[in-house]
Amino acid sequence: MRCGYPLCPVDRRAILVHVEVEEKHRRRGAGRVLVNAAVKRGAEFGWSMLPIGRDPVVVAFWARVGAVGPASPHPCTHQGEAKVVPAESRWTKWW
C-alpha cells in the first residue's frame, strides 16, 4: 500500500498524489482507510488530487470513496519547489 498526501503548512494546501493497494489486497477497505487518514490529517487544508484518469478500477474506487477535491492538482509554490506532483510530462498539462 502506498499513499502520498503532501501537506503545506504554510499555504494550507494538500495534494493527494497517489493511492495504490496491491491487487491481491483490494476490496478490503485499505484504500478507503488511506484516503480517510490523509483527509483527517489535513482536515484544515484545501485539497486537490491528481487526475483520476480512465482506468475502470481507479474510476470505480473513487466513485465508491468520493474525491477529496478537484481532480487537478493545485500546488502552492512550496509544493512546486519540492516537486510534490510527479514531473512526468503527462501531468504538466494539469498545473
Side-chain angles (χ1 to χ4, degrees), residues 8-85:
C8 178
V10 177
D11 292 323
R12 309 300 287 172
R13 287 197 194 175
I15 301 175
L16 189 62
V17 175
H18 191 78
V19 176
E20 181 179 348
V21 176
E22 289 184 44
E23 190 173 345
K24 64 184 178 182
H25 299 294
R26 291 181 185 160
R27 306 285 306 164
R28 298 181 188 172
R32 182 180 302 272
V33 168
L34 290 171
V35 171
N36 289 340
V39 172
K40 185 176 180 180
R41 182 174 179 197
E44 302 297 321
F45 289 68
W47 281 89
S48 61
M49 52 193 284
L50 291 184
I52 293 170
R54 296 182 182 166
D55 181 325
V57 172
V58 175
V59 170
F61 170 77
W62 287 111
R64 285 189 308 274
V65 173
V68 298
S72 69
H74 299 290
C76 68
T77 43
H78 306 104
Q79 291 165 324
E81 291 167 1
K83 298 182 179 168
V84 167
V85 177

